[in-house]
Amino acid sequence: MKRVVCFAIVFLSLSVQSCTAQQGEVPKASENVVSRLTLTDFTDVAAATIDGVVHIKTEMTQLTPLYQSFFGFIIQQGVQRQVYNAYGSGVIITSDGYILTNNHVVQDAERIYVTFNDRRELPAHLVGNDPATDLAVIKVEAEDLTYIPFGNSDKVRVGEPVLAIGNPFNLTSTVTSGIISAKARNMHIIDNPRTNETPLESFLQTDAAVNSGNSGGALVNSRAELIGIVTAIASGNTGNYIGYSFAIPSNIAVKVASDLTRYGYVQRGYLGVQVTEVDANVARQTGARDTKGLYVASVVRDCAAERAGIRQGDVILRVAGKEVNTFAEMMEELGIFSPGDEVEVDYVRNGNTKTVRLQLLNSNGNTDIIRK
């Protein structure tokens, strides 16, 4: 599947060595590995982080026309004003009241209220939102709040134990545990018609149970660090959790939160390439020697990649030193950079590996700050 990564100018496994055991013998697992496979006690982690997650209630008004039949004619007699409430979760990220949540929790809200773990309730205002990542920042007027520090989501490993903290079904301060099941999942679930930006999806997948109301809550590691913002669940047709949930990686979230706080708008750096993931079929069609990397289907004119000499037919292997084998992996890596940042890109052309250092550009093809 092809994905555009820039606007045109006018977006784990235990390593087992193969060996033959003698008949009657049972192969033994590595003692080092077995010693690490201990049950994680999350009581201290929960105690350290639960006050850093809040319950969010929003109010929205919908105006509904009122009609009446008059001698066979339907006549509008006025408008009925109805107030609707929506609920979600949020994560305190600074001691002075900045809270990170999902965009879909607060979008279109006329009023936002935040309830803390000690049952205090405060009004909040929207600082900024980013539909492309489904993240938003809100602010309450408070000081000395317990907040959860960001962890490095790049260092998260498949199989690593995690906690999800949120408010499912308005059951406040709920903690569930699980493991990281996968990384860099692109679920094609972010779809907001109000933005023309390519959705940035590279979710952490976990089997920690979450449900409606967990959106915007915290996914934390065994060091009580925020490694993800809980966003979605696999629910089938039930609308409830059936085995997996998904979180936005913290490295994306911290960049978005910083930009929204400073500029009100996320400053994204783009390569300017349209890419296809290299699988067996693509490798056969293009002559690629391996099923790794991202095949460059086209290059946007006068964007960062073209200026650096990347051409159609090249296969991108790494961005900023990180292997990129899926579109989601590349978008996640690019998502932490801003226009004007320089990154190294490793790619293959005609069997030869090349490295180029290029400057990322914004959606307008320059490095200026973009504001709403």
Side-chain angles (χ1 to χ4, degrees):
M1 179 179 293
K2 296 180 180 178
R3 292 301 184 89
V4 177
V5 192
C6 178
F7 290 98
I9 302 182
V10 209
F11 242 113
L12 149 50
S13 138
L14 173 63
S15 176
V16 180
Q17 294 182 342
S18 177
C19 62
T20 303
Q22 295 182 7
Q23 187 174 3
E25 289 185 354
V26 177
K28 296 181 180 179
S30 164
E31 292 182 2
N32 290 334
V33 172
V34 172
S35 67
R36 295 199 304 266
L37 299 179
T38 57
L39 183 63
T40 300
D41 184 349
F42 271 122
T43 54
D44 290 338
V45 175
T49 57
I50 197 167
D51 288 338
V53 177
V54 299
H55 178 268
I56 296 175
K57 180 180 76 173
T58 64
E59 288 185 1
M60 293 158 282
T61 301
Q62 183 175 17
L63 300 179
T64 305
L66 296 178
Y67 297 96
Q68 183 176 358
S69 177
F70 186 77
F71 292 106
F73 294 94
I74 304 299
I75 301 174
Q76 183 174 340
Q77 294 295 305
V79 176
Q80 182 181 26
R81 182 178 181 271
Q82 293 180 294
V83 177
Y84 292 88
N85 295 120
Y87 305 90
S89 303
V91 183
I92 304 172
I93 56 174
T94 67
S95 62
D96 60 346
Y98 284 94
I99 296 170
L100 188 59
T101 186
N102 285 140
N103 176 56
H104 73 261
V105 172
V106 297
Q107 182 174 275
D108 299 327
E110 297 171 5
R111 287 165 293 278
I112 305 172
Y113 301 95
V114 171
T115 302
F116 298 86
N117 195 36
D118 61 6
R119 299 183 182 180
R120 285 182 299 156
E121 182 180 274
L122 290 175
H125 69 269
L126 180 67
V127 175
N129 62 320
D130 181 43
T133 56
D134 193 24
L135 288 170
V137 175
I138 61 176
K139 176 76 164 63
V140 296
E141 298 305 317
E143 299 291 340
D144 299 322
L145 297 176
T146 297
Y147 67 94
I148 306 179
F150 283 101
N152 186 346
S153 56
D154 281 351
K155 293 184 177 180
V156 172
R157 301 177 64 195
V158 173
E160 181 177 338
V162 292
L163 281 186
I165 309 171
N167 305 281
F169 309 124
N170 285 326
L171 301 173
T172 59
S173 306
T174 296
V175 177
T176 57
S177 67
I179 62 169
I180 295 295
S181 307
K183 299 178 63 175
R185 289 295 200 206
N186 187 339
M187 304 301 295
H188 310 292
I189 58 176
I190 297 179
D191 181 19
N192 193 307
R194 303 181 189 182
T195 177
N196 61 351
E197 292 189 75
T198 302
L200 201 170
E201 293 190 22
S202 186
F203 296 120
L204 298 174
Q205 178 181 316
T206 175
D207 63 351
V210 303
N211 276 290
S212 177
N214 271 104
S215 288
L219 189 70
V220 300
N221 61 19
S222 59
R223 295 178 293 281
E225 298 170 331
L226 182 66
I227 58 169
I229 300 296
V230 176
T231 298
I233 60 176
S235 64
N237 296 321
T238 67
N240 298 325
Y241 171 83
I242 61 170
Y244 295 106
S245 52
F246 305 93
I248 301 165
S250 59
N251 287 6
I252 293 177
V254 68
K255 155 73 168 151
V256 171
S258 176
D259 283 0
L260 291 178
T261 302
R262 296 178 62 187
Y263 311 112
Y265 193 82
V266 179
Q267 311 301 311
R268 289 195 168 87
Y270 295 94
L271 275 181
V273 291
Q274 189 176 39
V275 297
T276 299
E277 297 176 4
V278 180
D279 57 16
N281 289 330
V282 173
R284 282 193 297 268
Q285 294 171 10
T286 64
R289 299 182 180 183
D290 206 347
T291 54
K292 288 186 177 181
L294 297 167
Y295 177 81
V296 179
S298 64
V299 181
V300 177
R301 185 176 179 182
D302 202 32
C303 209
E306 186 189 62
R307 294 183 186 183
I310 295 176
R311 302 199 303 251
Q312 179 182 356
D314 293 341
V315 176
I316 297 174
L317 300 178
R318 285 174 291 275
V319 174
K322 182 179 178 181
E323 287 191 4
V324 288
N325 294 312
T326 67
F327 177 76
E329 287 175 336
M330 184 169 71
M331 291 296 287
E332 180 179 354
E333 190 60 27
L334 291 173
I336 67 176
F337 293 104
S338 299
D341 289 344
E342 293 188 352
V343 298
E344 285 190 349
V345 176
D346 300 329
Y347 64 95
V348 174
R349 178 184 296 165
N350 299 326
N352 299 315
T353 301
K354 302 176 179 290
T355 300
V356 64
R357 190 170 186 85
L358 53 78
Q359 185 182 54
L360 299 174
L361 304 177
N362 62 25
S363 59
N364 296 325
N366 56 51
T367 61
D368 296 342
I369 298 298
I370 298 178
R371 302 184 185 273
K372 280 192 174 181

